[in-house]
Coordinates of all heavy atoms in Angstrom, one line a residue:
T1 N 0.9 -1.2 0.0 CA 0.0 0.0 0.0 C 0.8 1.2 0.0 O 1.8 1.3 0.8 CB -1.0 0.0 1.3 OG1 -1.7 -1.1 1.2 CG2 -1.9 1.2 1.2
G2 N 0.6 2.2 -0.8 CA 1.2 3.5 -1.0 C 2.5 3.3 -1.9 O 3.4 4.1 -2.0
D3 N 2.5 2.1 -2.7 CA 3.5 1.8 -3.8 C 4.8 1.7 -3.2 O 5.9 2.0 -3.8 CB 3.5 3.0 -4.8 CG 2.3 2.9 -5.7 OD1 1.6 1.9 -5.8 OD2 1.9 4.0 -6.2
T4 N 4.9 1.2 -1.8 CA 6.1 0.9 -1.3 C 6.7 -0.4 -1.9 O 6.0 -1.4 -2.0 CB 6.0 0.8 0.2 OG1 5.5 1.8 0.8 CG2 7.4 0.4 0.9
I5 N 7.9 -0.4 -2.4 CA 8.5 -1.5 -3.0 C 9.7 -2.1 -2.2 O 10.5 -1.3 -1.8 CB 8.9 -1.4 -4.5 CG1 7.7 -1.0 -5.3 CG2 9.6 -2.4 -5.0 CD1 8.0 -0.6 -6.7
N6 N 9.7 -3.4 -2.0 CA 10.9 -4.0 -1.3 C 11.3 -5.1 -2.1 O 10.6 -6.0 -2.7 CB 10.4 -4.4 0.1 CG 10.2 -3.3 1.0 OD1 11.2 -2.6 1.4 ND2 9.0 -3.0 1.4
Y7 N 12.7 -5.3 -2.1 CA 13.3 -6.3 -2.8 C 14.2 -7.2 -1.8 O 14.8 -6.6 -0.9 CB 14.2 -5.9 -3.9 CG 13.5 -5.2 -5.1 CD1 13.4 -3.8 -5.1 CD2 12.9 -6.0 -6.1 CE1 12.7 -3.2 -6.2 CE2 12.2 -5.4 -7.2 CZ 12.1 -4.1 -7.2 OH 11.5 -3.4 -8.2
A8 N 14.3 -8.5 -2.1 CA 15.3 -9.2 -1.4 C 16.7 -8.7 -1.7 O 17.0 -8.3 -2.9 CB 15.3 -10.7 -1.7
D9 N 17.6 -8.8 -0.8 CA 18.9 -8.2 -1.1 C 19.6 -8.9 -2.2 O 20.4 -8.3 -3.0 CB 19.9 -8.3 0.2 CG 19.4 -7.3 1.3 OD1 18.8 -6.4 1.0 OD2 19.8 -7.5 2.4
S10 N 19.3 -10.2 -2.4 CA 20.0 -11.0 -3.4 C 19.5 -10.6 -4.9 O 20.3 -10.9 -5.7 CB 19.6 -12.5 -3.2 OG 18.2 -12.6 -3.3
V11 N 18.4 -9.9 -5.0 CA 18.0 -9.5 -6.3 C 17.9 -8.0 -6.6 O 17.6 -7.6 -7.8 CB 16.5 -10.1 -6.5 CG1 16.4 -11.6 -6.2 CG2 15.5 -9.2 -5.8
K12 N 18.3 -7.2 -5.6 CA 18.3 -5.8 -5.8 C 19.3 -5.3 -6.9 O 20.3 -5.9 -7.1 CB 18.9 -5.0 -4.6 CG 17.7 -5.0 -3.5 CD 18.3 -4.3 -2.2 CE 17.2 -4.2 -1.1 NZ 17.7 -3.6 0.1
G13 N 18.7 -4.5 -7.8 CA 19.5 -4.0 -9.0 C 19.4 -5.0 -10.1 O 19.9 -4.6 -11.3
R14 N 18.8 -6.1 -10.0 CA 18.6 -7.0 -11.2 C 17.1 -7.4 -11.4 O 16.8 -7.5 -12.6 CB 19.3 -8.4 -10.7 CG 20.8 -8.3 -10.5 CD 21.4 -9.6 -10.4 NE 20.8 -10.5 -9.2 CZ 20.3 -11.6 -9.4 NH1 20.2 -12.2 -10.6 NH2 19.9 -12.2 -8.4
F15 N 16.3 -7.3 -10.5 CA 14.9 -7.6 -10.7 C 14.1 -6.3 -10.5 O 14.4 -5.5 -9.5 CB 14.4 -8.6 -9.6 CG 14.9 -10.0 -9.8 CD1 16.0 -10.3 -10.7 CD2 14.3 -11.0 -9.1 CE1 16.4 -11.6 -10.9 CE2 14.9 -12.4 -9.3 CZ 15.8 -12.6 -10.2
T16 N 13.0 -6.3 -11.2 CA 12.1 -5.1 -11.1 C 10.6 -5.6 -11.0 O 10.2 -6.3 -11.9 CB 12.2 -4.2 -12.2 OG1 13.6 -3.7 -12.3 CG2 11.3 -2.9 -12.0
I17 N 9.9 -5.2 -10.0 CA 8.5 -5.6 -9.9 C 7.7 -4.4 -10.4 O 7.9 -3.3 -10.2 CB 8.1 -5.9 -8.5 CG1 6.7 -6.5 -8.4 CG2 8.3 -4.9 -7.5 CD1 6.3 -7.1 -7.0
S18 N 6.5 -4.6 -11.0 CA 5.6 -3.5 -11.4 C 4.2 -4.2 -11.7 O 4.1 -5.4 -11.6 CB 6.1 -3.0 -12.8 OG 6.1 -3.9 -13.9
G19 N 3.3 -3.3 -11.7 CA 1.9 -3.7 -11.9 C 1.1 -2.9 -12.9 O 1.6 -1.7 -13.2
D20 N 0.2 -3.4 -13.6 CA -0.6 -2.8 -14.6 C -2.0 -3.1 -14.2 O -2.5 -4.2 -14.5 CB -0.2 -3.3 -16.0 CG -1.0 -2.6 -17.1 OD1 -2.1 -2.0 -16.9 OD2 -0.5 -2.6 -18.3
N21 N -2.7 -2.1 -13.7 CA -4.2 -2.4 -13.2 C -5.0 -2.6 -14.5 O -5.9 -3.4 -14.4 CB -4.6 -1.3 -12.4 CG -5.9 -1.7 -11.7 OD1 -6.1 -2.7 -11.1 ND2 -6.8 -0.8 -11.7
A22 N -4.8 -1.9 -15.5 CA -5.7 -2.0 -16.7 C -5.7 -3.5 -17.1 O -6.7 -4.1 -17.7 CB -5.3 -1.3 -17.8
K23 N -4.5 -4.3 -17.0 CA -4.5 -5.6 -17.3 C -4.5 -6.6 -16.2 O -4.5 -7.8 -16.4 CB -3.0 -5.9 -18.0 CG -2.9 -5.2 -19.4 CD -1.5 -5.5 -20.1 CE -1.5 -4.7 -21.4 NZ -0.2 -5.0 -22.0
R24 N -4.7 -5.9 -15.0 CA -4.8 -6.8 -13.8 C -3.6 -7.6 -13.7 O -3.9 -8.9 -13.3 CB -6.2 -7.5 -13.6 CG -7.3 -6.6 -13.6 CD -8.7 -7.2 -13.5 NE -8.8 -8.1 -14.7 CZ -10.0 -9.0 -14.9 NH1 -10.9 -8.9 -14.0 NH2 -10.1 -9.7 -15.9
T25 N -2.5 -7.2 -14.0 CA -1.3 -8.0 -13.9 C -0.1 -7.5 -13.1 O 0.1 -6.2 -13.2 CB -0.9 -8.3 -15.4 OG1 -2.0 -8.9 -16.1 CG2 0.3 -9.1 -15.6
V26 N 0.7 -8.4 -12.5 CA 1.8 -8.0 -11.8 C 3.0 -8.7 -12.5 O 2.8 -9.8 -12.9 CB 1.7 -8.5 -10.3 CG1 3.1 -8.1 -9.6 CG2 0.6 -7.9 -9.6
Y27 N 4.1 -7.9 -12.7 CA 5.2 -8.4 -13.4 C 6.4 -8.5 -12.5 O 6.5 -7.9 -11.6 CB 5.5 -7.4 -14.7 CG 4.3 -7.3 -15.6 CD1 3.6 -6.2 -15.5 CD2 4.0 -8.3 -16.6 CE1 2.5 -6.0 -16.4 CE2 3.0 -8.1 -17.5 CZ 2.2 -7.0 -17.3 OH 1.2 -6.7 -18.3

């Protein structure tokens, strides 16, 4: 909530999470 994003230390800088509500999809 509030668009706070957290990553595991092991993937920081390599993985990106995002969402598209129009497609109801998380990537």
Side-chain angles (χ1 to χ4, degrees):
T1 302
D3 290 335
T4 301
I5 296 177
N6 288 290
Y7 294 98
D9 287 343
S10 59
V11 307
K12 283 180 181 176
R14 299 189 298 122
F15 290 12
T16 302
I17 187 172
S18 62
D20 183 336
N21 190 50
K23 297 181 179 180
R24 297 181 298 183
T25 301
V26 180
Y27 302 100

